[in-house]
Every structure is written in structure tokens, then in C-alpha cells.
């Protein structure tokens, strides 16, 4: 029966997607408790966009789903669960097409049970939907390269363009993979120009209103979209040391600092030869190569920590890539280049640019789990020449890895805020669990050592309460038009 289902890849992918939904529904959050979630609610109810760079697609989808559910948190969580189901289904299809059914199934089960995938599919944040779209784009790109059909190219281009409206990082970090897919020497100059035109047109269709509403609502018309992006993404008001890996946070007066260390390095290097004017912005005058390198080290360590946490025990077969070509020969140069173009642009930015919530990893997690799954399948195959024993050992390995991932999500819980060690463990790992969701528990580095450590230090969580409080929270005109269903 299982073999018959697996023979039909799309049927198997659909079943895996449905299974993902069924396993996610019992753990859905029932209220808003993240700061970014509040921004998305504001975008869905009032402003179409959240904080820069905007996320207009995610806000619009939440707004229209709210007509059906009349519960904005539930609307966004449904989108998150849909993104998770899409990730599991697409990683199965891509793994099957790239390496075979065994690897596709193993990768999809790893994705289904990943703590990262599980947690962010249950809350009103945009990372899970981005993960689903990113994995879909990777699958479409692979099919376009393999089949050389323009239909796959067109769908891949449109999904990439629209994916950028949900999270702009999708478009930015998967653009190198798209360029590899549509390179003129591969598809011809005419087809390349067609795909480029589609990308520009579809992207422009959402980028213009996204920029307009950011300027109108979030910047009050005082500065443009690029200036807004600079002041909230590249430079931020910071009041604690963002380069400190461990230890208690010390809060200081808010001051503008570079948020992206590679930009700070460029500015600091320029300052060495051309000292800035006394009237230059404070972030330029205080730019420091040493501080930037400390932030890069911090983000590198953070990326490794969360990558291990996201892959769980699948980290062990993933480490086989450092063992030599024996367990990775199935990758080959073409597959390795394809997966590298999927994974490395985002991973590099997370080290040298900015790495905030570990939900960012969902954009590339599918590629990482495909490599881990391929290594595991190859390892078991080479260690056990007996096909019957191979199947049993592989099944046992999957059961152990997936079971450990699920136990982590279901069994771990935040510790009491009685010691600094407990607070650090909570902010780093222990809040991303089923218990954390059930208790609406969310802390950030910026608040964990404060008397009220919650991201949202108030109990306004219902739609009616949010509608009344949001204009005041974000400093908007109370007469701002409400975009939601009327009771």
C-alpha cells in the first residue's frame, strides 16, 4: 500500500501535506503575543503594510482570510500552517525528483517534525509561509532546469515575484537561484528577456503599493520608502550590545547603530581614509570594524546554534558532508551548485548582514534537510548491503530522529525567570515549544532582562480590543479606515 502511494509522487506529497495540517491544528496559538504579529495585524486592519520592508502580501492574505474566520490571529496562523504543509510537500517532490523516493520521504518527515517548522507554523508570523514558498520555488526551478519547459519557468518566476510580497527576503535570497535557472545560455536570450519582464512586472505590481503605504502610514510622508528601509533595517535605534553572545544585557540610552555589520565595515573603512564630518549621522561617525566583527562572530555562532536546533538529530547525518565524498557522491556538481545557490546567499547574509528570529532559517531549511537525508540514505546503504536490513535500519533511524524532534517540541518548556541562565535559555531555545505557544510566552533579547519581559506587555489580544488600541499603539490617526469584516 505504501509503495503504491509513493509511486504517485503528487498523491504522496498531498498526503504528507494533509498529515502536516492535521498534526499542526491541535497546537495553534489562540492569541497574538509577538511584536511582529502586532505589526501584521495593524497591516491587515489598517495600513496594508507592516513595518518596513512592508510584507504587503502577507498582510493582504491575512485580511482576506479574516473575512472567513473573523479572527485575525487564526487567519494568520492558517497561513502559517499552509506554508508548513507546502514545505513538507515540496521538499518531498524535490527530494524524490533529485535523489529518489527514499530521500524525498526522509527529508519531508524531517521537515514535518522540525521544531523550527512546527513552532513557526503555529503563530501569527510570516516565516512559515516564506518557507513554503521558498521550497516551492526551489522545486519549480529544478523542474524548469530538468524539463527545459517554459511553463515551469513561468510558474517559477511568478511564484518568486509574488513570494517577495510575503517576505522580501524570498525574492532577494532566491534571486541567484532564479538567475541560474533562467541563464540565457540555458534557455536562450529571448526566453530570458520574457522571464525577466514577467519578474519586473509582477514585482512592480506589489512593490509600488507596498512602498506607497509604507511612506503614507509608517513614515507619515516625511521620507520615502528607501529612506524608511535604511532607518529600520540597515540602521536601527539600539540600546544594548548586539554583539554579546552570553551574559546579562546592559541597557543604555537609545542610539542609532548599524544593523548590518558588513555595511558598518564598509563605512568604518571609508572613515579611515576620509574622516566623516562632525554633522554626519551618529552611526557613520561611530562606525567600528571591531564592533562589526564582534556582531559577525555573534551571528555566526547564532546561525550554527539554530541550524542544529532546527535540524535536530538530523544534524548527525548532515555532518557526513565533512567525512568526504563517500556519502555525498549522489550530490554531484550540478545538484551541489543548485542547493548551494538556494542555501548560501541567505546563510551568508545571516552572518554578515542580519539574523534575527530563527524563523529566517525556514527559507533554506528544505535544502539543508535534503542534504542531511541524502547523507543518511547513502550511509545506511553503504553500511548495510542487505536490502531488507537497510530498510529496517533506515526506518529505525527516521523514527529516532523524528521522535527526538517531536519530544523536544512537546516536552521542553520555558524555565522560571529566577536566574539569568534561565532567562538566556528561554530566549534562545525554550520558548519555541508547544508549552510556550499554549502559554502565549514570547521574549526577546531586547526585553528578557527587564521587569516585564513580555514582547507585548499588555493583555489586549481580542480583535475588538486590537482594533481600538492599534491606532494609538502606532501613532496613527484614530480615524484611519478599518479594513476588516463588519459584525
Amino acid at each position: 500500500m505504501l509503495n503504491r502511494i509513493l509511486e504517485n509522487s503528487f498523491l504522496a506529497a498531498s498526503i504528507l501535506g494533509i498529515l502536516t495540517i492535521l498534526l499542526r491544528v491541535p497546537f495553534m496559538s489562540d492569541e497574538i503575543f509577538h511584536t511582529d504579529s502586532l505589526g501584521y495585524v495593524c497591516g491587515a486592519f489598517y495600513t496594508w503594510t507592516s513595518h518596513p520592508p512592508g510584507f504587503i502580501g502577507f498582510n493582504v492574505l491575512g485580511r482576506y482570510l479574516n473575512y472567513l474566520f473573523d479572527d485575525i490571529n487564526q487567519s494568520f496562523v492558517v497561513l502559517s500552517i499552509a506554508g508548513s504543509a507546502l514545505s513538507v510537500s515540496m521538499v518531498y517532490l524535490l527530494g524524490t525528483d533529485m535523489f529518489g523516493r527514499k530521500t524525498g520521504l526522509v527529508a519531508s518527515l524531517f521537515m514535518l517534525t522540525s521544531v523550527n517548522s512546527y513552532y513557526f507554523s503555529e503563530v501569527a508570523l510570516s516565516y512559515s509561509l516564506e518557507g513554503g514558498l521558498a521550497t516551492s520555488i526551489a522545486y519549480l526551478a529544478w523542474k524548469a532546469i530538468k524539463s527545459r519547459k517554459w511553463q515551469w519557468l513561468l510558474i517559477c518566476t511568478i511564484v518568486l515575484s509574488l513570494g517577495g510580497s510575503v517576505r522580501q527576503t524570498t525574492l532577494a535570497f532566491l534571486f541567484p537561484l532564479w538567475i541560474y535557472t533562467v541563464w540565457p545560455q540555458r534557455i536562450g536570450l529571448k526566453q530570458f528577456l520574457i522571464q525577466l519582464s514577467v519578474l519586473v512586472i509582477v514585482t512592480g505590481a506589489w512593490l509600488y503599493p507596498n512602498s506607497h503605504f509604507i511612506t503614507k502610514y509608517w513614515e507619515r510622508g516625511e521620507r520615502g520608502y528607501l529612506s524608511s528601509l535604511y532607518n529600520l533595517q540597515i540602521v536601527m535605534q539600539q540600546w544594548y550590545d548586539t554583539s554579546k553572545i552570553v551574559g546579562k544585557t546592559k541597557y543604555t540610552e537609545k542610539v542609532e547603530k548599524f544593523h548590518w555589520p558588513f555595511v558598518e565595515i564598509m563605512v568604518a573603512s571609508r572613515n579611515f581614509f576620509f574622516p566623516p564630518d562632525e554633522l554626519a549621522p551618529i552611526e557613520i561617525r561611530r562606525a567600528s570594524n571591531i564592533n562589526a566583527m564582534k556582531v559577525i562572530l555573534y551571528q555566526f555562532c547564532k546561525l550554527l546554534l539554530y541550524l542544529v536546533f532546527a535540524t535536530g538529530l538530523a544534524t548527525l547525518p548532515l555532518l557526513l558532508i565533512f567525512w568526504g565524498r563517500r556519502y555525498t557522491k549522489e550530490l554531484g556538481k550540478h545538484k551541489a551548485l543548485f542547493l548551494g545557490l538556494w542555501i548560501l546567499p541567505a546563510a551568508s547574509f545571516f552572518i554578515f548582514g542580519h539574523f534575527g528570529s530563527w524563523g529566517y532559517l525556514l527559507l533554506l531549511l528544505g535544502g539543508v534537510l535534503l542534504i542531511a537525508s541524502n547523507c543518511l540514505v547513502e550511509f545506511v546503504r553503504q553500511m548495510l548491503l542487505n536490502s531488507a536490513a537497510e530498510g529496517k535500519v533506515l526506518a529505525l533511524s527516521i523514527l529516532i530522529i523524528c521522535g527526538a524532534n517531536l519530544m523536544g517540541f512537546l516536552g521542553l518548556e520555558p524555565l522560571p525567570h529566577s536566574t539569568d541562565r534561565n532567562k538566556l535559555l528561554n530566549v534562545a531555545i525554550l520558548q519555541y515549544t508547544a508549552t510556550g505557544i499554549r502559554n502565549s510566552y514570547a521574549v526577546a533579547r531586547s526585553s528578557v532582562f527587564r521587569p516585564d519581559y513580555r514582547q507585548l506587555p499588555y493583555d489586549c489580544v481580542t480583535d475588538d480590543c486590537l482594533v481600538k488600541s492599534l491606532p494609538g499603539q502606532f501613532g496613527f490617526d484614530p480615524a484611519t479606515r478599518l479594513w476588516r469584516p463588519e459584525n
Side-chain angles (χ1 to χ4, degrees), residues 113-150:
T113 55
S114 165
V115 177
N116 192 343
S117 176
Y118 226 124
Y119 179 84
F120 287 102
S121 64
E122 310 288 13
V123 294
L125 295 170
S126 57
Y127 306 115
S128 182
L129 185 56
E130 178 182 43
L133 291 170
T135 312
S136 300
I137 291 163
Y139 172 68
L140 294 168
W142 177 259
K143 292 295 289 186
I145 292 171
K146 189 176 179 181
S147 69
R148 296 182 178 273
K149 292 182 178 179
W150 67 267

Side-chain angles (χ1 to χ4, degrees), residues 235-394:
V235 172
M236 288 188 69
Q237 280 195 340
Q238 299 175 21
W239 62 99
Y240 61 96
D241 188 353
T242 58
S243 67
K244 196 171 184 180
I245 298 177
V246 296
K248 185 173 181 178
T249 298
K250 293 182 179 179
Y251 302 103
T252 62
E253 183 180 353
K254 285 188 178 182
V255 64
E256 284 77 11
K257 295 180 182 178
F258 281 105
H259 205 209
W260 296 358
F262 79 89
V263 175
E264 185 168 14
I265 288 175
M266 291 191 295
V267 173
S269 300
R270 181 187 181 281
N271 289 350
F272 181 80
F273 297 101
F274 306 100
D277 187 271
E278 292 182 359
L279 299 178
I282 190 170
E283 69 272 11
I284 293 178
R285 286 185 278 120
R286 293 187 178 181
S288 164
N289 281 319
I290 294 176
N291 180 70
M293 293 305 297
K294 287 167 62 181
V295 174
I296 288 171
L297 174 61
Y298 163 75
Q299 294 189 157
F300 175 74
C301 294
K302 183 179 177 182
L303 178 62
L304 288 182
L305 169 68
Y306 280 134
L307 194 58
V308 170
F309 194 34
T311 55
L313 286 187
T315 303
L316 297 177
L318 182 62
L319 293 175
L320 291 172
I321 61 175
F322 302 108
W323 205 281
R325 288 283 298 140
R326 184 179 180 186
Y327 303 117
T328 59
K329 61 182 181 180
E330 280 297 312
L331 281 174
K333 291 184 179 179
H334 176 47
K335 294 174 185 176
L337 178 59
F338 182 91
L339 292 170
L341 288 170
W342 179 5
I343 296 168
L344 293 180
S348 299
F349 183 81
F350 297 157
I351 296 171
F352 298 100
H354 172 61
F355 184 37
S357 167
W358 71 303
Y360 287 12
L361 289 181
L362 288 171
L363 186 147
L364 54 81
L365 187 59
V368 173
L369 291 178
L370 278 173
I371 296 172
S373 302
N374 178 64
C375 288
L376 177 63
V377 171
E378 279 298 304
F379 176 78
V380 172
R381 186 182 67 81
Q382 293 180 31
M383 292 296 101
L384 299 167
L385 300 178
N386 184 303
S387 59
E390 176 188 334
K392 292 178 181 177
V393 171
L394 184 60

Side-chain angles (χ1 to χ4, degrees), residues 156-232:
C156 178
T157 300
I158 292 174
V159 174
L160 175 67
S161 304
L162 293 176
S165 72
V166 173
R167 286 188 63 85
Q168 280 78 344
T169 45
T170 304
L171 180 57
F173 295 146
L174 293 183
F175 188 74
L177 179 62
W178 180 80
I179 286 291
Y180 176 71
T181 305
V182 301
W183 194 247
Q185 289 183 336
R186 186 191 304 281
I187 65 173
L189 182 59
K190 179 181 177 181
Q191 188 59 239
F192 170 76
L193 292 175
I194 290 173
Q195 298 301 323
L196 182 61
S197 299
V198 171
L199 184 76
V200 171
I201 291 170
V202 177
T203 301
W206 63 259
L207 186 58
Y208 173 76
N210 185 80
S211 305
H212 170 74
F213 289 118
I214 285 286
T215 302
K216 177 180 179 180
Y217 290 113
W218 294 86
E219 299 300 339
R220 320 292 199 278
E222 295 176 2
R223 56 187 173 194
Y225 178 67
L226 292 179
S227 177
S228 175
L229 195 63
Y230 175 84
N231 280 277
L232 191 60

